């Protein structure tokens, strides 16, 4: 209810800042090891970027299922179903994190070999990734509980908790690397410990807001099934980007340690630039889902329009300064000329077109909020994953330059955005039809 734009901004801005703080964890790792660590330490942390993004995107996608249900039951004022959804969401987060972490520990070296990590980078990259997998249950719990809080409209508390964890992460990074003298292992331990803090605070806030106690949590198979119907396609969609990036990372690794480090620095910056897209996408999903639950279908149409406008504006506000001051921004990570040149190459192609990625994310969120999560995942599969993989094995294989590799990003964003928009105009007819019929009957 109320004016839509202020409501959306009130949701988006704290969420965007929360995501930026979460991305800052890995950025802090890269900056500290790049400045104070041993040779190849930055490349070792960066070589794990595609792997970590794949894991996080899958978990966040699965968490979306719980978030969408929380939003829908909240909008429909169905308290009992809301509490059962919160309980099932938290339990699923813990179990999912344990399973994923165990699998990751067992497959660490094969996974790094799969992306072509160079021999000089592999030992340190293995250490970082294994420590990260050990902390995955807590990270998963944070993502699931934060998704539920945001679905209820509370984006301020997760922001505060991430700010606290972010400060702790930087302090511990510097302590472990400079004082203790363990660079790659040190920044990994710092990330896990700081995430434990944010996870604990977020879960406590969620339980308190719903007046639930840990002993009252129980798993609902019915709710879990509904969560997975939404979450699995969303998780697949999130993983599709990472799978294509996985293949691109393997191509980048073929250029050597300097290009890996430079690429990692730019990807770290891109993570911050993507935060408006992710925030708008989640806001669009939540707002559309809430209004569908309340049968305010016309209002959901306004959500779609404002989402497209906001994602372009907010992404542009971050992208322009990053590109203009690229030497200063990327200089935080490294002073190596070869690494900086590789980072500049990626930034001038990928970062300049990041608003296209935002429009794709926004429309994907709208369609998911309408209940078409599988369709959204299918569009992304074709537009982002399949296209980029074909591009790598055809155009890039023929040309063989970094520029020919990176240009696949903006082209895939354009194709996917167009497909999402076409799908939106088709699928929105069903829920809107009820409104038109109601108005005709009233007339």
């Amino acid at each position: 209810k109320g004016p839509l734009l202020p409501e959306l901004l009130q949701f988006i801005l704290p969420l965007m800042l929360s995501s930026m703080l979460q991305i800052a964890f890995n950025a802090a790792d890269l900056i500290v090891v790049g400045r104070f660590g041993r040779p190849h330490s930055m490349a070792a942390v960066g070589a794990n970027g595609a792997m970590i993004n794949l894991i996080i995107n899958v978990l966040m996608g699965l968490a979306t299922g719980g978030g969408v249900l929380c939003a829908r039951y909240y909008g429909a004022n169905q308290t009992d179903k809301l509490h059962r959804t919160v309980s099932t969401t938290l339990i699923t987060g813990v179990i999912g994190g344990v399973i994923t972490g165990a699998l990751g520990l067992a497959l660490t070296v094969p996974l790094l070999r799969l992306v072509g990590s160079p021999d000089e980078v592999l030992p340190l990259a293995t250490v970082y990734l294994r420590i990260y997998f050990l902390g995955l249950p807590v990270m998963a719990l944070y993502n699931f509980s934060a998704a539920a809080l945001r679905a209820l409209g509370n984006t301020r508390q997760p922001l505060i908790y991430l700010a606290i964890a972010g400060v702790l992460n930087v302090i511990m990074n510097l302590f472990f690397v400079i004082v203790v003298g363990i660079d790659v292992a040190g920044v990994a331990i710092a990330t896990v410990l700081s995430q434990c803090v944010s996870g604990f605070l977020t879960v406590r806030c969620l339980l308190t807001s719903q007046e639930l106690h840990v002993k009252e949590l129980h798993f609902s198979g019915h709710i879990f099934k509904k969560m997975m119907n939404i979450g699995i396609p969303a998780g697949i969609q999130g993983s599709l980007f990472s799978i294509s990036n996985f293949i691109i990372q393997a191509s980048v690794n073929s250029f050597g340690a300097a290009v890996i480090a430079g690429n990692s620095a730019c990807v770290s910056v891109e993570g911050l630039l993507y935060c408006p897209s992710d925030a708008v996408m989640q806001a669009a999903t939540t707002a559309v889902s809430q209004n569908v639950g309340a049968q305010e279908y016309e209002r959901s149409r306004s959500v779609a329009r404002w989402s497209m406008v906001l994602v372009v504006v907010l992404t542009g506000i971050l992208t322009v300064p990053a590109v203009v001051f690229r030497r200063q921004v990327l200089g935080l990570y490294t002073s190596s000329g070869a690494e900086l040149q590789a980072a500049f190459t990626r930034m001038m192609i990928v970062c300049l077109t990041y608003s296209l990625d935002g429009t794709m994310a926004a429309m994907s969120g709208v369609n998911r909020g309408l209940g078409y999560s599988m369709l959204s995942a299918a569009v992304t599969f074709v537009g982002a994953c399949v296209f980029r993989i074909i591009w790598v094995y055809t155009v890039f294989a023929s040309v063989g330059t970094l520029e020919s590799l990176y240009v696949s990003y903006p082209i895939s964003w354009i194709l996917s955005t167009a497909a999402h928009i076409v799908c939106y105009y088709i699928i929105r007819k069903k829920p809107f039809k009820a409104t038109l019929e109601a108005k005709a009957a009233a007339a």
Side-chain angles (χ1 to χ4, degrees):
K1 297 181 180 179
L4 186 58
L5 180 58
E7 291 288 333
L8 285 173
L9 286 174
Q10 187 177 354
F11 186 99
I12 289 169
L13 293 178
L15 180 57
M16 184 176 79
L17 293 173
S18 296
S19 298
M20 293 177 75
L21 283 171
Q22 195 167 20
I23 294 297
F25 285 167
N26 189 252
D29 293 352
L30 286 172
I31 291 171
V32 171
V33 297
R35 285 294 182 178
F36 305 105
R38 292 168 289 173
H40 303 315
S41 291
M42 182 176 171
V45 175
N48 287 302
M51 192 92 58
I52 290 172
N53 287 336
L54 172 61
I55 297 164
I56 292 297
N57 284 335
V58 170
L59 290 176
M60 290 182 67
L62 293 174
T64 299
V68 169
L69 285 184
C70 285
R72 189 153 297 174
Y73 295 141
Y74 179 74
N77 198 27
Q78 297 176 345
T79 305
D80 180 60
K81 288 185 177 181
L82 175 59
H83 285 174
R84 280 189 284 149
T85 302
V86 169
S87 296
T88 305
T89 296
L90 292 177
I91 295 171
T92 302
V94 174
I95 296 174
V98 170
I99 294 173
T100 308
L103 287 173
L105 284 171
L107 299 174
T108 297
V109 175
L111 288 172
L112 288 171
R113 290 288 189 190
L114 184 63
V115 295
S117 296
D119 291 337
E120 65 269 24
V121 172
L122 185 63
L124 291 175
T126 301
V127 170
Y128 183 90
L129 194 57
R130 281 180 172 161
I131 295 173
Y132 189 91
F133 279 131
L134 285 172
L136 203 57
V138 175
M139 298 178 192
L141 184 60
Y142 167 79
N143 281 294
F144 275 73
S145 57
L149 271 179
R150 291 163 184 159
L152 302 176
N154 186 349
T155 57
R156 186 173 64 89
Q157 295 303 119
L159 170 61
I160 294 173
Y161 301 147
L162 268 181
I164 294 171
V167 172
L168 290 174
N169 184 60
V170 173
I171 293 173
M172 287 188 290
N173 272 341
L174 295 171
F175 172 76
F176 283 125
V177 175
I178 298 176
V179 179
V180 181
I182 50 174
D183 47 9
V184 172
V187 295
I189 293 170
T191 297
V192 171
L193 293 178
S194 58
Q195 286 275 29
C196 287
V197 174
S198 60
F200 168 76
L201 293 173
T202 306
V203 171
R204 188 183 66 172
C205 177
L206 177 61
L207 293 177
T208 302
S209 68
Q210 295 302 307
E211 299 181 350
L212 289 171
H213 192 273
V214 174
K215 295 180 180 179
E216 299 172 345
L217 298 179
H218 62 277
F219 185 83
S220 169
H222 176 67
I223 294 293
F224 176 77
K225 183 178 179 181
K226 297 182 74 172
M227 283 173 52
M228 291 301 101
N229 286 339
I230 300 171
I232 289 177
I236 292 172
Q237 177 173 337
S239 68
L240 293 180
F241 286 108
S242 297
I243 289 172
S244 61
N245 291 338
F246 206 75
I247 295 172
I248 290 177
Q249 180 70 54
S251 301
V252 169
N253 290 350
S254 66
F255 287 92
V259 173
I260 294 174
N263 182 80
S264 301
C266 190
V267 169
S268 178
V269 176
E270 289 170 22
L272 297 174
L273 301 183
Y274 180 71
C275 290
S277 302
D278 182 61
V280 172
M281 179 175 65
Q282 293 191 49
T285 298
T286 300
V288 170
S289 187
Q290 283 188 0
N291 282 288
V292 168
Q295 297 184 351
E296 294 287 346
Y297 301 116
E298 287 298 326
R299 188 174 172 86
S300 68
R301 185 184 309 203
S302 297
V303 172
R305 289 195 295 265
W306 275 116
S307 295
M308 292 289 280
V309 173
L310 286 172
V311 78
V312 172
V313 173
L314 293 174
T315 303
I317 289 174
L318 294 181
T319 299
V320 172
V323 173
V324 171
F325 299 103
R326 57 188 177 277
R327 182 168 294 277
Q328 291 79 6
V329 171
L330 295 169
L332 293 172
Y333 295 85
T334 179
S335 57
S336 167
E339 293 175 0
L340 284 173
Q341 187 55 51
F344 292 160
T345 300
R346 179 174 179 119
M347 179 168 277
M348 296 307 295
I349 296 174
V350 179
C351 292
L352 276 177
T353 58
Y354 234 71
S355 289
L356 294 172
D357 185 31
T359 57
M360 178 187 67
M363 289 310 303
S364 174
V366 169
N367 291 342
R368 190 182 301 139
L370 287 171
Y372 289 83
S373 188
M374 184 62 77
L375 176 63
S376 183
V379 170
T380 303
F381 175 75
V382 176
C385 185
V386 174
F387 173 81
R388 289 180 193 171
I389 292 173
I390 293 174
W391 184 277
V392 167
Y393 290 110
T394 56
V395 177
F396 171 69
S398 175
V399 179
T401 63
L402 278 175
E403 291 84 355
S404 66
L405 180 65
Y406 293 146
V407 78
S408 63
Y409 284 98
I411 296 176
S412 68
W413 293 333
I414 293 172
L415 295 175
S416 298
T417 299
H420 279 301
I421 291 174
V422 171
C423 290
Y424 167 73
Y425 277 103
I426 295 173
I427 65 179
R428 74 174 189 175
K429 294 178 181 179
K430 184 177 180 180
F432 294 166
K433 182 180 179 181
T435 302
L436 295 175
E437 290 176 349
K439 289 181 178 180

